Amino acid sequence: MNIKKAAEYIYSHSKGTSQGLCARYVANGLVNAGLKFNRQPSAYLYNLELPIRGFKKISLTKYSPVIGDIVVFDRNKFHPYGHIAMWTGKNWTSDFRQRNMNPYKNQASAGTATIWRYVNG
């Protein structure tokens, strides 16, 4: 799989505002780049899928994004499906181009975030 190709695909297909389809857009980018995996119906479920597909959890301590890094926000009472986005080298992108890693207007509502980096390839 070519993770940079995934980042380019996601960025080029993203919109200016959220479409409520973050998991679909990120999955489409990964498929376009050659990754074979089980699509998940909710973003938070990628915390289970990514580590078995060659992604490694990255510490948020002194974190610096690398093209292709994926952030997964767990579900919570505010966001029952969670959220997923990829660092494209320009910004965090899912179905829309985000202003920062945390996509929510109420930043405190985000909950737990996990960063994943592709290491098999």
Side-chain angles (χ1 to χ4, degrees):
M1 182 192 60
N2 181 335
I3 197 68
K4 288 184 180 179
K5 185 175 179 181
E8 290 167 5
Y9 183 93
I10 292 167
Y11 185 82
S12 69
H13 287 81
S14 63
K15 310 296 182 199
T17 59
S18 176
Q19 309 299 298
L21 300 170
C22 62
R24 180 181 301 172
Y25 276 63
V26 173
N28 286 348
L30 293 170
V31 167
N32 185 65
L35 186 67
K36 295 185 185 336
F37 64 99
N38 297 316
R39 285 182 181 262
Q40 301 300 314
S42 295
Y44 76 93
L45 293 169
Y46 280 95
N47 275 331
L48 301 173
E49 186 67 27
L50 293 174
I52 60 175
R53 303 298 174 197
F55 287 81
K56 177 184 175 189
K57 188 185 286 190
I58 302 297
S59 171
L60 285 170
T61 305
K62 296 183 181 179
Y63 173 69
S64 180
V66 171
I67 293 174
D69 282 359
I70 294 176
V71 62
V72 178
F73 287 89
D74 276 333
R75 67 181 173 170
N76 61 37
K77 67 181 182 178
F78 303 105
H79 309 288
Y81 305 106
H83 182 71
I84 187 170
M86 180 179 280
W87 177 251
T88 65
K90 297 177 173 99
N91 54 12
W92 289 97
T93 306
S94 55
D95 53 336
F96 70 106
R97 293 172 290 283
Q98 301 172 194
R99 293 180 188 194
N100 55 46
M101 184 189 299
N102 183 336
Y104 303 117
K105 289 178 184 173
N106 177 357
Q107 297 277 298
S109 74
T112 305
T114 304
I115 303 290
W116 299 98
R117 183 170 292 157
Y118 189 66
V119 294
N120 285 355

